[in-house]
Amino acid sequence: MRILLAEDDAKLGNLINAMLIKSGIQVDWVTQGDTAIEYAMYSPYDVIVLDWMMPGQTGLEACKYLRKHGYQSSILMLTAKDDVVDRVLGLDSGADDYLVKPFEFAELLARLRALSRRSSARLQEEEVQVGDLVLNRSTRSVRFADNEVQLTSREFQLLDLLVQNEGQVVPREVILDRVWGLEADVSPNNLDAYVRLLRRKINLPEGDVVIQNVRGVGFKLEAHHVY
């Protein structure tokens, strides 16, 4: 299960994050609503956990924005507001469930599992095909024109991110964050080098998938035709 946790309370966020990881759940933790939106738009999650009150955009505003733009994965709202009116407001914003603070971690975990099962988006397909390129997330393997392509872990993550956003420009900052992490010391030249290697590997001997450099912004993967 993969969870996006948006909680600005450092103590609570750190506790939830640690407990989820201990339970074998993959977690991305952010502290602002607008950051949660950015993560959600570029990465697949089973469930998003939004704290109601956050800087930037509130959890309520982030939830409304995501639903307005077609986001379909499950959203759980965390809040200290327990009035019926507030519950209705949270659910009407597009949240699938509502958990009032303080809560027991066991209940949070149970709700996350239930939402993951109910999610209309579910996990992304294990195998995705774009043109002649076939990427399998379960085996972490890549085939191009029926030839096995050997990729490093970083190269696979980079390619997967570009495939997820096929036809859209993925900003450099997003790529660096999602593939290497915010704290990593990675220069723009390192990213360019990875993209060059990836281009060579997926276009041998000759293929219909290209990775375009959008100057000053980021990279975009496109296929000349999609099966």
Side-chain angles (χ1 to χ4, degrees):
M1 189 191 308
R2 187 175 185 190
I3 302 297
L4 173 61
L5 171 64
E7 170 60 67
D8 68 311
D9 184 309
K11 184 176 180 180
L12 179 60
N14 188 58
L15 177 61
I16 295 174
N17 182 56
M19 294 295 285
L20 289 174
I21 292 173
K22 187 177 180 181
S23 299
I25 296 172
Q26 186 176 353
V27 188
D28 288 328
W29 175 26
V30 299
T31 58
Q32 295 189 337
D34 48 357
T35 308
I37 290 172
E38 182 177 282
Y39 271 58
M41 298 304 284
Y42 286 106
S43 299
Y45 294 100
D46 295 294
V47 185
I48 297 179
V49 180
L50 294 174
D51 179 45
W52 187 303
M53 299 303 297
M54 286 186 292
Q57 292 196 47
T58 66
L60 196 68
E61 291 169 338
C63 186
K64 287 180 178 178
Y65 180 93
L66 289 170
R67 293 307 190 205
K68 181 179 178 181
H69 289 79
Y71 191 79
Q72 295 184 359
S73 287
S74 295
I75 297 177
L76 172 65
M77 193 75 70
L78 296 182
T79 180
K81 298 174 180 287
D82 59 356
D83 291 340
V84 173
V85 173
D86 292 320
R87 290 173 183 262
V88 171
L89 183 60
L91 294 171
D92 281 348
S93 72
D96 297 279
D97 202 354
Y98 191 103
L99 189 57
V100 178
K101 300 176 182 179
F103 52 83
E104 294 293 332
F105 178 75
E107 182 179 6
L108 171 62
L109 190 57
R111 294 199 185 205
L112 290 176
R113 286 172 175 156
L115 287 172
S116 179
R117 289 193 296 268
R118 278 168 28 201
S119 176
S120 58
R122 308 283 183 188
L123 280 171
Q124 286 198 330
E125 303 164 291
E126 280 192 357
E127 191 168 272
V128 181
Q129 182 163 0
V130 179
D132 289 332
L133 177 71
V134 179
L135 182 146
N136 189 303
R137 296 189 177 96
S138 178
T139 61
R140 296 185 72 81
S141 62
V142 175
R143 298 194 313 276
F144 199 80
D146 293 326
N147 296 312
E148 194 78 18
V149 179
Q150 298 299 320
L151 298 182
T152 66
S153 178
R154 294 283 191 209
E155 289 169 346
F156 184 89
Q157 288 178 273
L158 173 57
L159 180 60
D160 192 10
L161 181 60
L162 294 173
V163 166
Q164 289 169 30
N165 297 280
E166 179 203 348
Q168 302 179 46
V169 180
V170 184
R172 285 175 169 270
E173 296 77 13
V174 172
I175 295 174
L176 291 171
D177 179 22
R178 305 305 301 126
V179 177
W180 281 272
L182 285 172
E183 305 302 320
D185 184 17
V186 182
S187 72
N189 289 338
N190 290 142
L191 175 55
D192 290 335
Y194 267 89
V195 171
R196 284 196 297 271
L197 285 171
L198 198 53
R199 280 189 182 123
R200 285 202 292 267
K201 288 186 176 184
I202 68 172
N203 280 286
L204 292 176
E206 184 176 326
D208 62 353
V209 176
V210 296
I211 300 175
Q212 298 179 0
N213 181 7
V214 181
R215 193 183 246 332
V217 182
F219 297 93
K220 176 172 66 172
L221 180 143
E222 284 191 321
H224 297 156
H225 61 277
V226 179
Y227 299 113

